[in-house]
């Protein structure tokens, strides 16, 4: 393709992106968060450690990207730890969710008072 | 004509046709008055024969809602709370009073979803994997309906005919990157349907929430 034609295409593409909306740069580091939640539903009996590892990987990735983890990720991680019997880790993640997202505060407090997290 | 010239024409046509179709106005009065920051998504009602439908849809609501600027309550944790209180069926959960939901979750709004179609119809020429769902957003304190909508995604459609226009198309590309790792076509289609229904910035769609840089820029947003 001749250089000027390529330039026209690039300009058109730029007009297209700027003209209709922002560039789709995600607000959060998602990684495999949603597939991991689905996996939890599919496979409630096992795979806890695998799911915890998948979410911890997203935490690392988010730190490297300097971008927050999505709402709910820490709480879901808390649920997985509570299921596995690690109440200390579960509480830590519920508190983290609350610190990152004050909207979750009352519900996280509710979970922290529940039997599962107290175990 | 040289092939690159065709490419240029195609780009022009796409630019002209793809964006800024004026949509008939949607009444956002209640929405802009409520200004919800957080959304509680309940397990969906399911009238499809597929038992996985509810979870397939529910597992993928966080992306469009959070990227639109809302705090989304963690769906599996929320469901666990209902189960611990003896509520295992979506219709029982949908029947819980707003007061009770507000007591526990302190969410600003609750999203009721209903999965109408979920699965593959095998046809002679091409099989069609299709997900159709509708949603209703309700203010948890006033009980007022803030928004409702419906969306379909199908394996047979061309991406160019995306209902949400360019914003929807771009957001869909993101979803596709994110859902690739689960080898389940209907799950992927459900992610597209979720995104069409729940990503802000589409005609008749949700407005952007306070955590989005686009908060307050929507056409429906009152000053």
């Amino acid at each position: 393709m001749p250089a000027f034609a390529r330039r026209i295409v690039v300009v058109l593409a730029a007009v297209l992106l700027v003209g209709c909306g922002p560039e789709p740069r995600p607000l959060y580091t998602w990684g495999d968060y949603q597939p991991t939640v689905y996996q939890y539903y599919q496979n409630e009996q096992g795979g806890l450690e695998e799911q915890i590892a998948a979410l911890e990987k997203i935490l690392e990735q988010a730190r490297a990207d300097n971008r927050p983890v999505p709402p709910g990720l820490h709480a879901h991680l808390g649920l997985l730890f509570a299921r596995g019997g690690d109440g200390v880790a579960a509480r830590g993640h519920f508190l983290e969710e609350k610190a990152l997202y004050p909207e979750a505060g009352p519900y996280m407090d509710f979970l922290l008072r529940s039997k599962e997290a107290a175990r | 004509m040289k092939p690159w010239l065709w490419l240029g024409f195609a780009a022009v046509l796409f630019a002209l046709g793809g964006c800024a179709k004026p949509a008939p106005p949607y009444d956002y009065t209640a929405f802009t008055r409520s200004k919800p920051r957080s959304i509680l998504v309940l397990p969906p009602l399911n009238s499809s024969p597929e038992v996985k439908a509810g979870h397939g849809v529910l597992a993928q609501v966080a992306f469009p809602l959070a990227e639109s600027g809302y705090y989304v309550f963690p769906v599996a944790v929320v469901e666990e709370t209902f189960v611990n209180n003896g509520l295992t069926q979506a219709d029982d959960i949908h029947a819980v009073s707003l007061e009770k939901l507000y007591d526990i979750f302190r969410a600003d709004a609750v999203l009721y979803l209903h999965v109408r179609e979920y699965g593959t119809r095998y046809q002679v020429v091409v099989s069609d994997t299709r997900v159709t769902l509708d949603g209703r957003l309700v203010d948890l304190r006033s009980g007022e309906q803030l928004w409702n909508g419906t969306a379909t995604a199908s394996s047979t459609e061309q991406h160019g005919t995306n209902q949400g226009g360019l914003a929807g198309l771009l957001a869909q590309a993101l979803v596709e990157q994110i859902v690739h790792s689960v080898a389940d076509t209907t799950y992927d289609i459900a992610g597209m349907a979720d995104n069409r229904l729940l990503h802000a910035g589409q005609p008749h769609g949700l407005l952007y929430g306070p955590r989005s840089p686009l908060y307050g820029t929507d056409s429906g947003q009152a000053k």
Side-chain angles (χ1 to χ4, degrees):
Chain A
M1 195 192 287
F4 73 91
R6 207 178 307 153
R7 202 168 301 150
I8 288 169
V9 171
V10 167
V11 168
L12 280 172
V15 165
L16 199 64
L17 288 171
V18 177
C20 302
E23 233 179 298
R25 190 178 180 280
L27 298 177
Y28 304 104
T29 294
W30 290 86
D32 277 341
Y33 174 50
Q34 297 194 133
T36 306
V37 172
Y38 189 55
Q39 200 187 344
Y40 174 80
Y41 286 132
Q42 295 296 289
N43 177 22
E44 287 204 37
Q45 303 310 312
L48 277 182
E49 279 164 34
E50 193 192 320
Q51 292 164 34
I52 287 170
L55 296 188
E56 285 178 336
K57 201 177 122 196
I58 303 172
L59 296 181
E60 272 171 46
Q61 205 183 317
R63 268 191 293 270
D65 295 352
N66 196 24
R67 199 182 300 175
V69 293
L73 188 140
H74 275 288
H76 188 75
L77 200 43
L79 170 69
L80 297 179
F81 276 116
R83 280 249 153 166
D86 188 344
V88 175
R91 279 195 299 280
H93 284 291
F94 291 147
L95 289 170
E96 189 77 17
E97 179 80 22
K98 183 178 160 175
L100 283 175
Y101 297 104
E103 299 95 319
Y107 180 44
M108 291 304 115
D109 290 339
F110 171 88
L111 293 175
L112 288 162
R113 288 192 304 269
S114 74
K115 274 177 289 173
E116 276 204 310
R119 234 177 6 212
Chain B
M1 204 188 286
K2 293 200 172 71
W4 55 262
L5 211 53
W6 282 112
L7 194 59
F9 273 127
V12 169
L13 281 177
F14 187 53
L16 290 175
C19 50
K21 267 184 226 131
Y26 185 94
D27 185 0
Y28 287 106
T29 313
F31 203 126
T32 50
R33 189 169 46 227
S34 165
K35 293 190 179 62
R37 293 168 306 138
S38 62
I39 298 179
L40 173 70
V41 189
L42 300 183
L45 297 179
N46 176 26
S47 43
S48 84
E50 173 57 63
V51 291
K52 289 191 289 189
H55 285 156
V57 165
L58 191 57
Q60 302 176 85
V61 296
F63 177 81
L65 291 175
E67 289 293 332
S68 299
Y70 295 99
Y71 178 79
V72 189
F73 285 76
V75 291
V77 184
V78 166
E79 194 168 344
E80 189 79 6
T81 297
F82 287 118
V83 170
N84 289 339
N85 286 281
L87 298 174
T88 56
Q89 301 300 314
D91 24 0
D92 294 336
I93 295 170
H94 281 227
V96 174
S97 73
L98 299 181
E99 292 80 2
K100 188 80 194 163
L101 293 177
Y102 186 73
D103 255 11
I104 295 172
F105 299 101
R106 288 285 194 272
D108 291 335
V110 55
L111 180 66
Y112 296 99
L113 293 171
H114 189 154
V115 185
R116 306 280 177 182
E117 294 178 286
Y118 192 101
T120 305
R121 259 178 300 190
Y122 296 94
Q123 293 162 346
V124 181
V125 180
V126 59
S127 65
D128 177 14
T129 301
R130 180 177 287 263
V131 174
T132 299
L133 59 152
D134 50 55
R136 197 161 58 87
L137 190 71
V138 174
D139 183 297
L140 255 190
R141 279 150 301 173
S142 72
E144 226 179 340
Q145 177 173 305
L146 306 181
W147 170 87
N148 72 326
T150 180
T152 291
S154 159
S155 60
T156 61
E157 67 193 72
Q158 296 298 308
H159 283 174
T161 61
N162 183 287
Q163 299 161 333
L166 189 75
L169 197 67
L170 295 175
Q172 180 183 319
L174 278 173
V175 167
E176 279 167 351
Q177 285 169 22
I178 283 158
V179 301
H180 71 277
S181 55
V182 176
D184 176 343
T185 310
T186 318
Y187 173 86
D188 290 351
I189 300 291
M192 284 162 63
D194 273 327
N195 190 57
R196 276 181 196 169
L197 183 68
L198 302 174
H199 205 293
Q202 307 182 72
H204 291 195
L206 290 172
L207 300 178
Y208 284 102
R211 288 186 175 274
S212 168
L214 295 171
Y215 182 52
T217 64
D218 317 53
S219 53
Q221 197 83 15
K223 272 131 259 152

